[in-house]
Amino acid sequence: MLVSSLRRCSTRVPSAMVRAGGAVTHKRLYSQSSAFKIHPCVEEALEEGQPVVALESTIITHGMPYPQNISMARKVEEIVRANGSVPATVGIIKGKVHIGLCEEEIKFLATSKDCVKVSRRDLPYVLSRGLSGGSTVSGTMVAAHHAGIPIFVTGGIGGVHRNGENTMDVSADLTELGRTPVAVISAGVKSILDIGRTLEYLETQGVCVSTFGDSSNFPAFFTPRSDFKAPYHVRNEEEAAQLIASSLDLKLDSGVLISVPIPSEYAASGQMIEEAIQQALEEARMQGILGKEVTPFILRRVNEITKGKSLDSNIALIKNNAKVGSRIAVALSEIRKPPGGRGKELHHCKRPEDKTSDSRPVVIGGINVDFIAKASQDTMEFGGQTNPGKVHQSFGGVGRNLADCMSRLGVRPLFISAVGQDDLSDSVFQFCSHMVSPSHSQDMRGVVHVKGHNTATYCAVISGSGELSLGLGDMEIHQQITEKHVSQFADHLCRARLLCIDGNVPVPTIQYVCEMARQNSVPVCYEPTDIDKAAKPFISNSWTALTYISPNLQELLSINRTLGYVEDIDVPCKLEDRIDTAIKLSLPLLENIRCIIVTMGAHGVLLCGHRRDGTLTLRAKDKVSRDDMCAVHYPAAPIPPEDIINVSGAGDSFMAGLLTGVLAEYNTDTCVRIGLQAARLSLQTRGPISPLISPISVSAQQVLEEKWPPPRVWSISPSNGKTFLRTRH
């Protein structure tokens, strides 16, 4: 399953949500704590005010046998997503509390033989010894509160054990509910406990307890009713969310317990399960089993006695709790959403928000596993000698680079591509986990695994100054990005705010996408990739559907040759002559294309396009005159040569930044500056796309505050060539 394979490991600094002025904001509870690691998808969801549900992991480590435990964990997370929330399973991995587990971490906990059962009491010891374990209700509440997650879903909570008035055996879950402001959604408490004394203890702790649904009768885990009534009763998700919101707003520093009865179709076997519980309790007493070992022993024996029927009921109630808890989280998110918006704006930067789930940008292109070899010196010997240098692996492909950078900038495109069924594809998905949005968990479902093919690989040899000297590629897999495969996402193509295609895509697929765009008035950006692939859309009339293209000068020349506009010319060396040539080669294409963005490496970028109100416009819907065109040259962002590490992804970073600005409807200058800033960051990293790129490091506000070299503007026309207008400050 692609979705689960995408949930890979990564970390960010933890934060917690608080209310401030009616909006959802964040503050750190433990300023420099390295004990907690929040999965990027979870943290992003919290930052955007999306509903998040915490899940425990003792059900994985101690609650169910393998492989039911791992399949159960996956299924519960799927239910949470299906009901509109983001799952955040909590687990302790080698001395770190992980809030949101990736696929490998869930498998590790599900198969490990030495995991500890971790409550609040156990956290200091387990972390100090670097141990791993499953989080109990108490431990999960601590982690959820740290991250700012207000809702936690579990099966059932612990309580006061029978004869607890003598043994003082009281679950830490109850005291945690009394001091941690997290709402717990459970199926009540297990009938192996003293339910009456448990409710009394919760009252002493100041915990607001409510049942959910049609009855106020407190549920007893396997059975929907006990002989006790809860103090309060909510009928639906909205009422439950209002209750939780009131508790949070009062800042009571205590939790809320909402008890959801097991679905009625699974309650019929309740009496049989209750008899098995009584038998298991007697066996535990006879064997001297005490404390925290009682519950797992009872559950295991009950499952054996009932021949699996109790496990079926257990699974059913947990799934039901996940569904109810997720919907409550969605309702709570709506209540706490600030008026007129969903979450915060970073640095007053207008984030490009999708109007509907189907209007996201779509990127269609290649994924490569790159092996980058950088020489220690500017000059290299190519006569069979070994040149000193460093080699590392990274992940590229123009389409992947565009989708990666756009994702880092807050625009989560649907990405369509192809990889082989091999080990390299696993590493691709692990690396690309940050490209999956909580609200769009299928962002990379368009990446197909093709049996019998290799994942694309590319080897780049780079000089000491960072320039590409030689490239070798095994790109056959890109031919599997077929029209048939892409057509599965026709609804997304029709409704997309922007389509991006790279030159790795086969010609028939490019033609199909261009025709879809033409019929539905969707803007299209074509990234030529290299000289040999630049002309793919131009061998037919597909190119007339393009809105933007981003060639370098050599690729622009190849396009003109294909259209028969020029025979051959020498590419000049001087900047002014290169600008002249680029303008002349762009002019015939502007009859149909809104803007030609000519990348010029260290010399920056030249935009040739149409004016509106005296300024070059990038907005696809702007009405323009074919006789009013201009060219604007933007120098590259200032960067010391010694800071340049790799140039391979700078152009892709620039285009992703520019297109992000276009989607946010910024003016042309701001769009270009965002692109140049993203390119500058990528020039200073080993991989093609800098991990430092974010809506904070690359934002409209940030680029406006920086001093940039001024652009130069020319008026252009086919008859008069170019006429210098001004240097714009």
Side-chain angles (χ1 to χ4, degrees), residues 100-112:
L101 297 181
C102 65
E103 186 72 14
E104 289 86 353
E105 291 164 342
I106 288 179
K107 186 174 182 180
F108 171 78
L109 291 177
T111 56
S112 180

PDB file of all heavy atoms in Angstrom, residues 100-112:
ATOM      1  N   GLY A 100       3.701  10.332  16.568  1.00  0.00           N
ATOM      2  CA  GLY A 100       3.516  10.050  15.153  1.00  0.00           C
ATOM      3  C   GLY A 100       4.582   9.054  14.731  1.00  0.00           C
ATOM      4  O   GLY A 100       5.766   9.368  14.733  1.00  0.00           O
ATOM      5  N   LEU A 101       4.169   7.827  14.414  1.00  0.00           N
ATOM      6  CA  LEU A 101       5.118   6.778  14.068  1.00  0.00           C
ATOM      7  C   LEU A 101       5.100   6.510  12.570  1.00  0.00           C
ATOM      8  O   LEU A 101       4.050   6.515  11.934  1.00  0.00           O
ATOM      9  CB  LEU A 101       4.777   5.476  14.805  1.00  0.00           C
ATOM     10  CG  LEU A 101       4.848   5.503  16.332  1.00  0.00           C
ATOM     11  CD1 LEU A 101       4.495   4.124  16.887  1.00  0.00           C
ATOM     12  CD2 LEU A 101       6.229   5.915  16.814  1.00  0.00           C
ATOM     13  N   CYS A 102       6.287   6.256  12.021  1.00  0.00           N
ATOM     14  CA  CYS A 102       6.375   5.845  10.631  1.00  0.00           C
ATOM     15  C   CYS A 102       6.198   4.332  10.543  1.00  0.00           C
ATOM     16  O   CYS A 102       6.135   3.627  11.550  1.00  0.00           O
ATOM     17  CB  CYS A 102       7.692   6.290  10.015  1.00  0.00           C
ATOM     18  SG  CYS A 102       9.127   5.509  10.755  1.00  0.00           S
ATOM     19  N   GLU A 103       6.139   3.840   9.319  1.00  0.00           N
ATOM     20  CA  GLU A 103       5.877   2.422   9.101  1.00  0.00           C
ATOM     21  C   GLU A 103       6.926   1.536   9.768  1.00  0.00           C
ATOM     22  O   GLU A 103       6.593   0.528  10.404  1.00  0.00           O
ATOM     23  CB  GLU A 103       5.842   2.143   7.597  1.00  0.00           C
ATOM     24  CG  GLU A 103       5.436   0.736   7.222  1.00  0.00           C
ATOM     25  CD  GLU A 103       3.962   0.461   7.444  1.00  0.00           C
ATOM     26  OE1 GLU A 103       3.198   1.421   7.645  1.00  0.00           O
ATOM     27  OE2 GLU A 103       3.594  -0.712   7.437  1.00  0.00           O
ATOM     28  N   GLU A 104       8.189   1.898   9.643  1.00  0.00           N
ATOM     29  CA  GLU A 104       9.247   1.082  10.217  1.00  0.00           C
ATOM     30  C   GLU A 104       9.165   1.045  11.745  1.00  0.00           C
ATOM     31  O   GLU A 104       9.443   0.020  12.377  1.00  0.00           O
ATOM     32  CB  GLU A 104      10.625   1.626   9.796  1.00  0.00           C
ATOM     33  CG  GLU A 104      10.952   1.400   8.341  1.00  0.00           C
ATOM     34  CD  GLU A 104      10.392   2.510   7.456  1.00  0.00           C
ATOM     35  OE1 GLU A 104       9.643   3.363   7.977  1.00  0.00           O
ATOM     36  OE2 GLU A 104      10.700   2.521   6.258  1.00  0.00           O
ATOM     37  N   GLU A 105       8.769   2.164  12.349  1.00  0.00           N
ATOM     38  CA  GLU A 105       8.681   2.233  13.805  1.00  0.00           C
ATOM     39  C   GLU A 105       7.520   1.393  14.327  1.00  0.00           C
ATOM     40  O   GLU A 105       7.639   0.741  15.372  1.00  0.00           O
ATOM     41  CB  GLU A 105       8.554   3.689  14.247  1.00  0.00           C
ATOM     42  CG  GLU A 105       9.831   4.476  14.017  1.00  0.00           C
ATOM     43  CD  GLU A 105       9.642   5.974  14.083  1.00  0.00           C
ATOM     44  OE1 GLU A 105       8.494   6.447  13.963  1.00  0.00           O
ATOM     45  OE2 GLU A 105      10.657   6.675  14.231  1.00  0.00           O
ATOM     46  N   ILE A 106       6.393   1.410  13.625  1.00  0.00           N
ATOM     47  CA  ILE A 106       5.273   0.552  14.025  1.00  0.00           C
ATOM     48  C   ILE A 106       5.676  -0.915  13.944  1.00  0.00           C
ATOM     49  O   ILE A 106       5.399  -1.710  14.854  1.00  0.00           O
ATOM     50  CB  ILE A 106       4.039   0.834  13.140  1.00  0.00           C
ATOM     51  CG1 ILE A 106       3.422   2.187  13.500  1.00  0.00           C
ATOM     52  CG2 ILE A 106       3.000  -0.265  13.293  1.00  0.00           C
ATOM     53  CD1 ILE A 106       2.218   2.560  12.669  1.00  0.00           C
ATOM     54  N   LYS A 107       6.360  -1.274  12.865  1.00  0.00           N
ATOM     55  CA  LYS A 107       6.807  -2.667  12.718  1.00  0.00           C
ATOM     56  C   LYS A 107       7.801  -3.031  13.809  1.00  0.00           C
ATOM     57  O   LYS A 107       7.768  -4.144  14.355  1.00  0.00           O
ATOM     58  CB  LYS A 107       7.432  -2.869  11.340  1.00  0.00           C
ATOM     59  CG  LYS A 107       7.784  -4.319  11.045  1.00  0.00           C
ATOM     60  CD  LYS A 107       8.265  -4.495   9.614  1.00  0.00           C
ATOM     61  CE  LYS A 107       8.576  -5.970   9.335  1.00  0.00           C
ATOM     62  NZ  LYS A 107       9.051  -6.157   7.941  1.00  0.00           N
ATOM     63  N   PHE A 108       8.679  -2.110  14.149  1.00  0.00           N
ATOM     64  CA  PHE A 108       9.660  -2.365  15.210  1.00  0.00           C
ATOM     65  C   PHE A 108       8.959  -2.663  16.532  1.00  0.00           C
ATOM     66  O   PHE A 108       9.284  -3.638  17.227  1.00  0.00           O
ATOM     67  CB  PHE A 108      10.589  -1.157  15.358  1.00  0.00           C
ATOM     68  CG  PHE A 108      11.496  -1.218  16.551  1.00  0.00           C
ATOM     69  CD1 PHE A 108      12.639  -2.001  16.531  1.00  0.00           C
ATOM     70  CD2 PHE A 108      11.200  -0.501  17.708  1.00  0.00           C
ATOM     71  CE1 PHE A 108      13.478  -2.070  17.637  1.00  0.00           C
ATOM     72  CE2 PHE A 108      12.031  -0.561  18.813  1.00  0.00           C
ATOM     73  CZ  PHE A 108      13.172  -1.351  18.778  1.00  0.00           C
ATOM     74  N   LEU A 109       7.984  -1.823  16.897  1.00  0.00           N
ATOM     75  CA  LEU A 109       7.274  -2.040  18.154  1.00  0.00           C
ATOM     76  C   LEU A 109       6.436  -3.310  18.108  1.00  0.00           C
ATOM     77  O   LEU A 109       6.288  -4.005  19.117  1.00  0.00           O
ATOM     78  CB  LEU A 109       6.385  -0.832  18.464  1.00  0.00           C
ATOM     79  CG  LEU A 109       7.102   0.471  18.829  1.00  0.00           C
ATOM     80  CD1 LEU A 109       6.088   1.586  19.043  1.00  0.00           C
ATOM     81  CD2 LEU A 109       7.967   0.304  20.072  1.00  0.00           C
ATOM     82  N   ALA A 110       5.891  -3.620  16.940  1.00  0.00           N
ATOM     83  CA  ALA A 110       5.013  -4.785  16.813  1.00  0.00           C
ATOM     84  C   ALA A 110       5.774  -6.101  16.911  1.00  0.00           C
ATOM     85  O   ALA A 110       5.207  -7.129  17.297  1.00  0.00           O
ATOM     86  CB  ALA A 110       4.257  -4.726  15.489  1.00  0.00           C
ATOM     87  N   THR A 111       7.052  -6.088  16.585  1.00  0.00           N
ATOM     88  CA  THR A 111       7.834  -7.330  16.552  1.00  0.00           C
ATOM     89  C   THR A 111       8.878  -7.431  17.658  1.00  0.00           C
ATOM     90  O   THR A 111       9.438  -8.500  17.880  1.00  0.00           O
ATOM     91  CB  THR A 111       8.543  -7.466  15.196  1.00  0.00           C
ATOM     92  OG1 THR A 111       9.359  -6.311  14.959  1.00  0.00           O
ATOM     93  CG2 THR A 111       7.531  -7.583  14.058  1.00  0.00           C
ATOM     94  N   SER A 112       9.140  -6.340  18.355  1.00  0.00           N
ATOM     95  CA  SER A 112      10.177  -6.347  19.382  1.00  0.00           C
ATOM     96  C   SER A 112       9.741  -7.182  20.591  1.00  0.00           C
ATOM     97  O   SER A 112       8.580  -7.148  21.002  1.00  0.00           O
ATOM     98  CB  SER A 112      10.492  -4.916  19.823  1.00  0.00           C
ATOM     99  OG  SER A 112      11.485  -4.918  20.815  1.00  0.00           O
TER     100      SER A 112
END
